[in-house]
């Protein structure tokens, strides 16, 4: 079991930056993958970034690559997402998710994640 709580959402300007945080509670597993997803208005939920073992680089979705940085602490307790050069199309609900007992895959697929936060709204205006 894992509980996840996101924070940091709000209203932002085009070209600005945001930093989202996710706090995990629950047992720690040897292998875990934590990720950020988002659901834009009228769209399906999509992966943004994922991070797992230190020896592998984080995984980024194409829309986030070059603008997003995902990071975590050593215990998988705190997950962050920094996103720069925001665009109106970054508007959506951002979710933190975790899968336990395995490292991240090369594709961020929501079917792979077992536990989810409630989400935090991000609105980017022009």
């Amino acid at each position: 079991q894992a509980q996840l709580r996101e924070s940091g959402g709000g209203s932002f300007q085009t070209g600005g930056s945001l930093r989202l945080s996710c706090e995990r509670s629950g047992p720690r597993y040897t292998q875990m993958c934590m990720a950020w997803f988002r659901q834009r208005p009228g769209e399906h939920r999509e992966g943004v970034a994922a991070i797992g073992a230190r020896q592998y680089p984080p995984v980024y979705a194409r829309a986030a690559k070059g603008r997003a940085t995902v990071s975590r602490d050593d215990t998988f307790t705190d997950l962050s997402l920094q996103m720069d050069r925001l665009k109106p199309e970054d508007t959506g609900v951002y979710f933190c998710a975790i899968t336990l007992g395995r490292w991240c895959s090369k594709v961020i697929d929501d079917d792979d994640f077992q536990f989810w936060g409630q989400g935090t709204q991000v609105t980017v205006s022009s």
Side-chain angles (χ1 to χ4, degrees):
Q1 284 287 346
Q3 291 80 44
L4 303 169
R5 183 173 64 184
E6 304 94 340
S7 61
S11 297
F12 303 89
Q13 295 292 317
T14 296
S17 298
L18 63 78
R19 185 174 181 85
L20 304 179
S21 298
C22 173
E23 182 179 0
R24 181 192 69 86
S25 58
R28 183 181 174 187
Y29 285 66
T30 304
Q31 297 180 354
M32 291 186 280
C33 176
M34 295 188 78
W36 287 99
F37 287 79
R38 69 184 181 187
Q39 186 162 16
R40 296 183 286 177
E43 302 285 337
H44 294 294
R45 190 164 55 191
E46 61 181 359
V48 177
I51 187 168
R54 293 290 190 204
Q55 61 264 39
Y56 299 114
V59 180
Y60 294 97
R62 185 177 299 179
K65 217 163 195 177
R67 298 192 298 127
T69 303
V70 63
S71 60
R72 63 164 178 86
D73 69 342
D74 288 339
T75 61
F76 286 88
T77 299
D78 293 301
L79 177 74
S80 296
L81 178 71
Q82 171 87 21
M83 186 173 285
D84 303 317
R85 302 191 301 280
L86 291 170
K87 307 173 184 180
E89 50 263 45
D90 292 320
T91 294
V93 180
Y94 284 68
F95 299 90
C96 173
I98 189 169
T99 185
L100 305 174
R102 55 174 290 182
W103 294 125
C104 298
S105 301
K106 292 183 179 180
V107 176
I108 311 169
D109 187 336
D110 57 2
D111 286 340
D112 292 337
F113 291 83
Q114 301 156 316
F115 302 100
W116 295 79
Q118 292 297 309
T120 186
Q121 175 69 44
V122 168
T123 303
V124 182
S125 56
S126 56

